[in-house]
Amino acid sequence: MICVSIARSQHQAMIDTHRELVAQGARLVELRLDYLATAPDLKRLLADRPSPVIVCCRRKRDGGMWAGSEEERQMLLRAAIADEVEYVDLEEDIAHQIPRFGNTKRIISFHDFRKTPDDLQAIYDRMAQLDPDIIKIVTMANHPCDNFRILRLVASAKVPTIGFCMGEMGIPSRILTLKFGAPFTYAAFSEERILAPGQLSFRQMREIYHCERINRDTEVYGVIADPVGHSLSPLIHNAAFRRYDLNKVYVPIRVPREALRQFLEEAPAMGIKGLSVTIPHKEAVLEKLTMADSAVRGIGAANTLVFQDGEVYGYNTDYRAAMDCLHEALGIPTDQESPFAGKKALVLGAGGVGRAMVYGLVRRKAEVYVTDGDDAKARHLAEQFGCRALEWNRRYAVRPDILINGTPVGMHPNVDETPYDGRHLQAGMLVFDAVYNPENTLLIKQAREAGCKVITGVEMFVRQACLQFKLFTGLEGPAALMREVIKRAISPVKM
């Protein structure tokens, strides 16, 4: 279940928002009294309430907005209990001062906005002595494995416990606390009114992650990156899981470089079954693989991991998706020997996507040139695959039949940038831009105007996601659905 926190400055706005949320499917809300601009009128807020509520009045030191005295705050909490509110939230240090009364359930809460303490079990044990119906422990994640520590606590708790981490790094635990036994998790009533770092909105929790369907049997997948907030993979994979009615969830996981090794060691034990891998981890994950497909071995990068029976399998779906796109655009069968012989290809970017492109083009006998803003990186890649490197400022010295952008240049929000001046585009060239947000990058627009064939990043993104989905589930990825979801997400006009 999802508890939606309502923080409004006016009583009527709080009442109206409560009704709107229930109409949208909310079954429990938290009334944040500390956000009201005037003295809280509990009778008014609780009269004819359309759902059960938690009354919470948070002090500033606990991340709240309460400006009155502590005595007044505690009087409000006692009044809520006397008015038979369903739940009241009491911080650990005051719980002993406000005794149980009537049917109101006690949520005893602890917040640490700086870190996830080492002594989580001791904190829990201490709180369990305060007559709680529910224990709530919320901490700041400074390492992706902080999520695992707090979720293990939730899973082992004797008293029903809500535990999750704050911050971007803590987002997975906000979703997965339900899998590990929490009675509910929290969401903001609006994406524009986030009350704590890393908090998701009710709409996101329901429509993207389908949190109300999560239970102990839910299988976990995700994308690891740093940063990860821009990734659209959760949108399309969760939509695909829902299409097939699969008990699976896909979450964004921010993993800094220095945390990657420990994260991958702990991930399987926490129920993670598979991962998409993107910048900056595609090459670094190789050291943790126990098995890898031929593309991973050839390219030296993986974008998909599957954890199964103690093994870590690595795959590169970027490679196959990109090559399928090229074969289709050029009308060349995939089984043709040396299909790109006689064609000159220029690859912009020597990162993960560039490596996959160069590997595939060289194998298909194209004459390949690679260039990158880091000239040494381009030379190293060219030496690895037996092709030619160009200095970035000499990239127009070649007139390619196939131009591939594997750089992030042109990606939202820098939509007025292009890695290749449109004056050098020639009719008949095939231009492939791996950037998918926006789909119609400046490079793609100028290529169309010049009479080039084009392949957009959306097509490659959907194809590689379908391949990942099959590796995760054994089922064919719903390409049309994925394409619709991603186009809607990146559209400047939201439908």
Side-chain angles (χ1 to χ4, degrees):
M1 184 164 59
I2 304 167
C3 174
V4 189
S5 297
I6 304 176
R8 304 302 300 264
S9 61
Q10 302 300 319
H11 286 73
Q12 192 58 51
M14 189 171 282
I15 292 166
D16 291 343
T17 301
H18 188 178
R19 289 174 179 155
E20 290 167 8
L21 287 166
V22 171
Q24 294 167 20
R27 294 185 288 152
L28 176 65
V29 304
E30 178 186 55
L31 303 181
R32 288 292 301 267
L33 304 186
D34 49 304
Y35 275 80
L36 289 166
T38 57
D41 183 343
L42 280 170
K43 298 290 186 187
R44 184 180 176 192
L45 292 172
L46 299 177
D48 300 321
R49 55 188 179 274
S51 78
V53 303
I54 300 170
V55 164
C56 177
C57 189
R58 197 71 77 202
R59 300 169 294 199
K60 289 185 178 179
R61 76 188 202 198
D62 297 311
M65 299 289 289
W66 180 250
S69 71
E70 178 61 11
E71 182 181 3
E72 292 170 326
R73 190 179 77 94
Q74 291 190 30
M75 284 179 62
L76 267 176
L77 296 171
R78 289 189 180 93
I81 295 171
D83 286 339
E84 298 183 331
V85 70
E86 286 79 14
Y87 298 89
V88 65
D89 186 307
L90 306 172
E91 294 85 4
E92 178 195 11
D93 62 305
I94 68 160
H96 67 285
Q97 301 176 46
I98 302 179
R100 179 183 296 277
F101 179 80
N103 295 321
T104 298
K105 293 184 177 180
R106 293 159 55 89
I107 300 173
I108 310 301
S109 62
F110 169 90
H111 293 77
D112 189 324
F113 286 84
R114 296 184 301 108
K115 64 185 184 304
T116 298
D118 293 333
D119 58 341
L120 284 176
Q121 186 62 51
I123 293 169
Y124 166 86
D125 291 341
R126 193 171 68 222
M127 295 172 72
Q129 304 305 310
L130 296 172
D131 191 23
D133 292 290
I134 295 173
I135 291 173
K136 179 185 177 187
I137 299 178
V138 180
T139 64
M140 180 62 70
N142 296 314
H143 190 287
C145 292
D146 287 342
N147 293 296
F148 297 158
R149 293 202 292 123
I150 204 156
L151 293 174
R152 277 194 288 265
L153 178 73
V154 173
S156 64
K158 301 290 192 297
V159 178
T161 298
I162 301 162
F164 56 82
C165 295
M166 294 180 284
E168 183 189 22
M169 212 172 282
I171 288 175
S173 61
R174 288 182 176 274
I175 299 163
L176 299 180
T177 191
L178 296 167
K179 170 181 169 60
F180 288 84
F184 50 86
T185 188
Y186 287 78
F189 72 95
S190 165
E191 288 165 46
E192 287 71 45
R193 300 291 293 272
I194 300 303
L195 307 186
Q199 190 176 48
L200 300 171
S201 71
F202 181 52
R203 184 197 67 80
Q204 290 171 313
M205 295 286 260
R206 288 193 84 206
E207 297 181 11
I208 298 176
Y209 300 103
H210 310 294
C211 284
E212 291 175 327
R213 296 163 56 93
I214 293 175
N215 56 38
R216 291 185 185 274
D217 296 325
T218 301
E219 293 186 349
V220 182
Y221 299 82
V223 53
I224 58 171
D226 188 21
V228 75
H230 66 283
S231 177
L232 298 181
S233 294
L235 284 173
I236 62 172
H237 280 285
N238 284 311
F241 290 157
R242 188 65 181 270
R243 169 63 59 87
Y244 284 102
D245 196 27
L246 301 174
N247 190 10
K248 303 177 189 291
V249 66
Y250 184 107
V251 297
I253 309 170
R254 182 180 162 221
V255 180
R257 289 178 189 270
E258 64 274 12
L260 180 64
R261 179 192 294 267
Q262 183 182 348
F263 173 83
L264 292 177
E265 288 172 354
E266 295 193 29
M270 294 307 296
I272 294 177
K273 301 293 186 182
L275 292 168
S276 306
V277 182
T278 186
I279 298 171
H281 302 311
K282 290 184 178 182
E283 296 173 45
V285 296
L286 266 59
E287 68 175 70
K288 300 303 296 183
L289 301 181
T290 57
M291 302 188 74
D293 68 7
S294 58
V296 169
R297 293 192 298 271
I299 296 166
N303 78 326
T304 310
L305 304 183
V306 175
F307 301 96
Q308 184 176 348
D309 300 327
E311 304 285 355
V312 184
Y313 297 84
Y315 304 90
N316 194 305
T317 65
D318 282 339
Y319 158 71
R320 183 172 157 193
M323 293 304 107
D324 286 350
C325 286
L326 286 170
H327 277 277
E328 184 176 298
L330 294 170
I332 300 174
T334 56
D335 58 353
Q336 183 172 319
E337 188 175 350
S338 305
F340 300 162
K343 294 192 180 296
K344 192 175 294 184
L346 174 61
V347 178
L348 309 175
V353 172
R355 292 181 68 84
M357 297 287 192
V358 169
Y359 171 78
L361 289 164
V362 168
R363 289 191 69 195
R364 286 159 177 76
K365 307 304 181 185
E367 182 184 342
V368 181
Y369 297 80
V370 61
T371 184
D372 190 273
D374 182 338
D375 291 332
K377 193 173 180 180
R379 287 195 299 272
H380 179 66
L381 181 57
E383 289 170 4
Q384 280 186 292
F385 292 109
C387 59
R388 304 179 189 181
L390 286 174
E391 293 181 359
W392 183 254
N393 59 11
R394 295 193 66 250
R395 62 192 181 280
Y396 304 115
V398 172
R399 297 189 65 179
D401 302 295
I402 302 170
L403 173 69
I404 296 173
N405 177 35
T407 77
V409 179
M411 182 183 294
H412 180 81
N414 303 311
V415 296
D416 295 325
E417 298 179 3
T418 177
Y420 198 83
D421 194 308
R423 293 173 298 176
H424 297 274
L425 296 169
Q426 302 289 326
M429 285 174 58
L430 173 60
V431 176
F432 187 165
D433 194 342
V435 170
Y436 63 82
N437 186 13
E439 179 176 18
N440 291 308
T441 60
L442 181 57
L443 175 60
I444 290 293
K445 290 176 183 176
Q446 292 179 338
R448 285 197 173 107
E449 291 169 0
C452 303
K453 296 179 182 178
V454 301
I455 302 170
T456 72
V458 165
E459 191 56 35
M460 177 178 168
F461 185 74
V462 169
R463 284 178 185 254
Q464 67 82 27
C466 284
L467 293 168
Q468 286 185 331
F469 186 83
K470 187 165 188 178
L471 291 168
F472 293 157
T473 69
L475 302 170
E476 296 295 331
L481 172 67
M482 289 181 168
R483 194 173 291 110
E484 176 189 346
V485 168
I486 190 173
K487 289 194 175 192
R488 187 166 59 241
I490 65 178
S491 170
V493 180
K494 300 302 179 188
M495 299 171 62

